[in-house]
Amino acid sequence: MTSIASLLVALALAQTSTAPYVRSRVDAGDPRTQCLFWTAERVTWHQSTYGNPATPGETEFEAMSRAFQSWQDIFAACGNLTLQEGPRVNDRTVGYARQGGNRNLVLFRDRDCSAVVDSTDACWAEDTCANTYDCWEDNDNTIAITLTTYDERSGIIYDSDISFNAARFDFTTTSGGGTCFPPVTNNCVATDVQNTATHEIGHFVGLDHTNAVGSTMNPSAQPGELSKRTIDSGSRDFVCTVYRQGAPSQACLHPVVESELGPQADTGCAAAGSLAALPALAAWALWLSRRRRQEGVR
Ligand SMILES: [Zn+2]
């Protein structure tokens, strides 16, 4: 089993297509490898009850729900799966729980691992600090990360989790008041939760980045940005095509061998993923790039 993390960083690293939409693949950008997609009819996701204490009231929870709902509206119109919000949970662990109890989790990490974990801790080499110490382990300049676990032969997704870098970024939920820079107040836009989440949910359902003008899946974001809240026509086409209503979800390579489908077909796995982060004051443009982790793949 394999997992990938998609993230937003402050440096432009990867060449990105301008196609209306680009599907995530086992090897990013390699058409010889399978695309990633859900086959479940219903995918339940959960918000961690901790929320983001720096965001007023319940607004971060509400913003997250709106972001998922904007995708669900499209799935309801032309797709074959349902994105359903489950009850909030105390879970702070991302990745695929193979032994049961797996959840698709959305959470904010508001402590930087480098500040709370000793530099000699083995978790650094194992990429396990985030779960072990409930902290942000990825790059400072990453706003959020979506960690997706899938079968690398079939491309079928088993789990996807979204982590927000609240250790570094000031997440806001209002749409008015203009762009604000630290110190952030409650009535301006710094890093918008819904804007960020809508992009990350695109990764959650199997989209990679595109430089198509106006796409929710553009690999860059600006402080104060709200435009990704509105899902573009290309991303909508992805839903209506890949998850076409009344049809099976579409793989990219055929045939997908039925006997290879499902988690039971795999041994050993790990998963992790995420979105972007805001850079230092010097660089305000944000770019998304992808990162792939592979562990325990036989
Ligand atoms: Zn991204």
Side-chain angles (χ1 to χ4, degrees):
M1 188 173 304
T2 302
S3 63
I4 57 168
S6 302
L7 63 158
L8 184 57
V9 297
L11 298 172
L13 299 174
Q15 293 185 340
T16 301
S17 167
T18 57
Y21 68 84
V22 175
R23 295 182 67 175
S24 296
R25 289 182 181 264
V26 169
D27 289 327
D30 185 346
R32 298 168 301 179
T33 62
Q34 189 59 274
C35 292
L36 309 187
F37 56 100
W38 292 92
T39 54
E41 292 183 358
R42 183 177 302 272
V43 176
T44 303
W45 60 279
H46 301 264
Q47 303 200 51
S48 183
T49 49
Y50 183 69
N52 183 33
T55 306
E58 297 267 300
T59 58
E60 75 274 35
F61 295 105
E62 296 159 0
M64 208 72 73
S65 299
R66 289 195 300 272
F68 271 93
Q69 187 62 48
S70 66
W71 284 100
Q72 174 52 30
D73 287 346
I74 300 171
F75 278 102
C78 68
N80 66 6
L81 71 80
T82 299
L83 295 171
Q84 176 175 300
E85 182 168 6
R88 293 177 196 168
V89 292
N90 286 320
D91 198 348
R92 303 293 294 168
T93 303
V94 299
Y96 181 59
R98 190 175 176 75
Q99 303 302 324
N102 184 59
R103 295 189 181 99
N104 301 300
L105 186 66
V106 178
L107 80 172
F108 293 83
R109 305 272 199 201
D110 60 6
R111 306 189 304 166
D112 193 321
C113 291
S114 63
V116 297
V117 180
D118 191 277
S119 61
T120 62
D121 197 299
C123 73
W124 291 110
E126 297 164 355
D127 280 343
T128 55
C129 296
N131 280 341
T132 302
Y133 295 98
D134 190 8
C135 54
W136 180 264
E137 184 177 4
D138 292 280
N139 193 298
D140 275 357
N141 294 336
T142 298
I143 297 169
I145 288 185
T146 299
L147 180 61
T148 300
T149 303
Y150 56 92
D151 183 310
E152 73 170 5
R153 291 163 297 182
S154 67
I156 292 175
I157 298 171
Y158 301 150
D159 174 80
S160 197
D161 305 297
I162 301 174
S163 304
F164 284 69
N165 181 5
R168 176 71 179 276
F169 293 90
D170 293 304
F171 286 104
T172 56
T173 53
T174 59
S175 55
T179 301
C180 56
F181 301 91
V184 171
T185 63
N186 290 341
N187 53 5
C188 57
V189 184
T191 302
D192 183 62
V193 173
Q194 187 178 341
N195 189 75
T196 304
T198 307
H199 174 96
E200 292 305 311
I201 298 162
H203 292 311
F204 184 103
V205 296
L207 277 169
D208 201 344
H209 295 141
T210 176
N211 278 329
V213 174
S215 175
T216 292
M217 299 312 295
N218 280 175
S220 64
Q222 301 279 343
E225 184 185 273
L226 298 170
S227 59
K228 288 186 177 66
R229 287 185 179 189
T230 303
I231 298 169
D232 61 288
S233 60
S235 298
R236 176 180 294 268
D237 287 346
F238 161 78
V239 172
C240 303
T241 302
V242 173
Y243 295 100
R244 185 160 56 89
Q245 206 160 69
S249 303
Q250 298 297 299
C252 291
L253 303 178
H254 298 279
V256 174
V257 179
E258 194 68 31
S259 63
E260 293 184 346
L261 303 187
Q264 68 279 3
D266 274 331
T267 61
C269 64
S274 70
L275 185 55
L278 280 179
L281 297 176
W284 288 109
L286 299 177
W287 283 268
L288 288 165
S289 65
R290 306 177 75 246
R291 182 184 55 173
R292 179 165 181 267
R293 292 175 182 163
Q294 183 168 336
E295 302 173 54
V297 177
R298 67 179 181 182

